Amino acid sequence: MTKKILITGGAGFIGSHVVRRFVNNYPRYQIVNLDLLTYAGNLENLKDIEQKPNYTFVKGDIADADFIQSLFAEHNFDGVIHLAAESHVDRSIMNPLEFVMTNVIGTVNLLNASRRLLESKPDFLFYHISTDEVYGSLGKEGFFTEETRYDPRSPYSASKASSDHLVRAYHHTYKMPVVISNCSNNYGPNQFPEKLIPLALYNMLQNKPVPVYGKGENIRDWLYVEDHAVAIDLIYHKGTTGETYNIGGHNEWRNIDLIKFLCSVMDRKLNRPTGSCEKLITFVKDRAGHDLRYAIDASKVKNELGWMPSLQFEEGLEKTVDWYLNNTEWLKHVTSGEYKNYYDSQYHKR
Ligand code: NAD
Ligand code: DAU
């Protein structure tokens, strides 16, 4: 069946893997990738598919209501997969308003434009991609389920929680067909080197200090990005309207253990003496309000849709390291602009 699907944030980390999957696997779909190309968006991530006849890129800001209305007037979308967001917690601590503009206002603009399509498109679907951070922080035990009460604690997670609530409100109030998924930490190719794994890897490559916040005892549940893209594909096609699905890797690591493991992989790949990269580990001031632990119970998506992560962490990390070592030009490009300014000034402006 032909469909025209809008994917927002498709030039970013996860979005680029989702766009590639949909363009390649569904040649009868028309995929429109809408992205503002902020510091985190890079069309080099999609070089291999940009000439495909079922792919179109549009540059634009989801926070611009007029622009979004005109885009929806031009394209008769059958569905939206919404990934565009400001995504980095540390940046949200420095500039919360930017996160409200993109993550909250941007989502409302897309919901409003989608609402107008409902009468003519009863099968329309608005799929909102969200995060496990909306559930707050866990102690040593337990997992986030779809029933866990929302308790966002950073400006980033508060903006994502707000957008989740708005998506549910449009479902309840206007009967908009929606689905939401909340995923744990992703890693893999194309991730901007400000997040833990690519930043540490990038600094190890350059023999620079590898910052570990606090004592490195915080725990995250890591998932290879292509496994997330597979889950998104399944949920888009087979998920139940109005439902939420948690997605996670069953793969918890303390930050310090993960970084030490990455050090051992990098020593091997770079032919450095054992222990070289570990010497770069530098404990730095903790993140304000740092959530202790995230861990997802992904049994609903497993039981209802048959999704499971396909890669062991060791395999996924190996693939990730190989990708970064083979794509040093990409690293050079993405770190040459805003990123450098941000780290120089510790402040980011659009
Ligand atoms: P990212 O920062 O790598 O990419 C975000 C993309 O959105 C970029 O291409 C950027 O240019 C675009 N964008 C930002 N502001 C925009 C705007 N105003 N208008 C249009 N485009 C804009 O983010 P990511 O890590 O790929 O995350 C994608 C989505 O998945 C986000 O909604 C995030 O909250 C969610 N998520 C991420 C993770 C993770 O571990 N990275 C985990 C769970 C959920
Ligand atoms: O859980 C899903 C979320 O995961 C997504 O919604 C976010 O978009 C994504 O950025 C990620 O958030 P985190 O804050 O968990 O990811 P980050 O890579 O920034 O940090 C991972 C852990 O590592 C966290 O405990 C903070 C720590 N850290 C991070 C950086 C950048 C360090 O110790 N040193 C660092 O330099």
Side-chain angles (χ1 to χ4, degrees):
M1 199 207 304
T2 45
K3 276 184 200 290
K4 194 177 238 191
I5 301 175
L6 174 67
I7 300 184
T8 71
F13 167 47
I14 302 169
S16 59
H17 292 273
V18 175
V19 166
R20 175 174 300 101
R21 184 174 176 88
F22 273 70
V23 166
N24 286 337
N25 288 10
Y26 303 102
R28 292 173 64 117
Y29 290 1
Q30 284 296 322
I31 302 301
V32 177
N33 171 14
L34 165 63
D35 198 297
L36 185 58
L37 301 181
T38 67
Y39 76 96
N42 183 356
L43 290 177
E44 279 177 58
N45 295 343
L46 293 164
K47 252 201 218 138
D48 55 320
I49 56 133
E50 67 189 4
Q51 301 301 336
K52 296 252 174 157
N54 63 336
Y55 172 72
T56 312
F57 173 72
V58 178
K59 182 169 188 255
D61 188 348
I62 58 168
D64 179 344
D66 293 341
F67 162 72
I68 291 296
Q69 289 295 348
S70 64
L71 183 76
F72 275 66
E74 185 186 336
H75 300 273
N76 202 15
F77 293 121
D78 297 287
V80 173
I81 305 178
H82 175 36
L83 296 108
E86 286 293 336
S87 68
H88 191 43
V89 174
D90 293 328
R91 288 179 189 254
S92 83
I93 293 167
M94 281 186 264
N95 189 357
L97 187 56
E98 190 164 38
F99 283 65
V100 173
M101 292 309 294
T102 289
N103 300 0
V104 184
I105 306 294
T107 302
V108 175
N109 287 337
L110 290 164
L111 287 165
N112 283 341
S114 299
R115 227 186 112 190
R116 298 196 170 170
L117 292 173
L118 291 185
E119 269 183 31
S120 60
K121 299 248 173 195
D123 293 333
F124 181 86
L125 181 65
F126 190 98
Y127 181 3
H128 180 59
I129 308 298
S130 192
T131 169
D132 61 358
E133 299 197 13
V134 298
Y135 299 122
S137 183
L138 290 165
K140 289 205 166 93
E141 304 288 319
F143 296 91
F144 296 134
T145 73
E146 287 80 2
E147 275 72 49
T148 303
R149 197 173 65 88
Y150 272 37
D151 182 23
R153 294 146 53 100
S154 73
Y156 163 69
S157 54
S159 70
K160 291 297 291 187
S162 172
S163 63
D164 292 10
H165 288 319
L166 283 156
V167 171
R168 290 197 183 95
Y170 274 63
H171 176 63
H172 184 78
T173 310
Y174 307 115
K175 310 295 170 230
M176 180 175 294
V178 305
V179 68
I180 300 179
S181 57
N182 296 80
C183 189
S184 65
N185 287 61
N186 285 215
Y187 70 99
N190 299 350
Q191 188 169 31
F192 191 79
E194 64 184 347
K195 309 277 166 68
L196 180 66
I197 291 180
L199 175 72
L201 201 155
Y202 181 55
N203 286 10
M204 286 176 206
L205 254 179
Q206 302 173 95
N207 267 311
K208 285 192 175 164
V210 172
V212 172
Y213 297 167
K215 293 181 181 161
E217 286 172 350
N218 303 68
I219 294 172
R220 297 293 182 265
D221 170 1
W222 294 93
L223 178 69
Y224 191 66
V225 63
E226 283 177 7
D227 277 331
H228 189 187
V230 171
I232 289 173
D233 183 345
L234 258 180
I235 292 168
Y236 183 81
H237 289 102
K238 301 211 166 105
T240 304
T241 298
E243 289 292 312
T244 295
Y245 297 90
N246 280 356
I247 307 169
H250 288 296
N251 178 41
E252 292 182 53
W253 286 77
R254 283 198 318 161
N255 292 337
I256 186 64
D257 299 332
L258 188 157
I259 291 301
K260 284 184 177 169
F261 179 49
L262 179 62
C263 285
S264 67
V265 177
M266 288 294 281
D267 282 346
R268 174 164 49 82
K269 296 273 178 194
L270 297 171
N271 288 319
R272 291 181 183 169
T274 305
S276 306
C277 286
E278 265 201 47
K279 288 197 190 119
L280 300 170
I281 293 176
T282 309
F283 292 95
V284 298
K285 190 168 171 259
D286 208 352
R287 173 183 281 172
H290 199 170
D291 286 340
L292 177 66
R293 174 173 168 254
Y294 307 142
I296 282 278
D297 175 348
S299 43
K300 178 174 173 181
V301 70
K302 180 182 173 210
N303 295 339
E304 292 186 12
L305 303 179
W307 178 87
M308 292 248 288
S310 72
L311 283 189
Q312 294 293 320
F313 188 59
E314 290 70 12
E315 207 182 332
L317 196 65
E318 190 96 9
K319 275 166 81 101
T320 304
V321 169
D322 286 343
W323 186 85
Y324 280 92
L325 296 182
N326 290 326
N327 287 276
T328 46
E329 277 301 300
W330 181 94
L331 267 175
K332 209 185 286 172
H333 292 163
V334 301
T335 52
S336 60
E338 286 258 42
Y339 173 72
K340 184 172 177 304
N341 299 337
Y342 164 74
Y343 271 90
D344 287 346
S345 65
Q346 283 293 293
Y347 189 77
H348 167 67
K349 283 205 171 96
R350 192 184 298 229

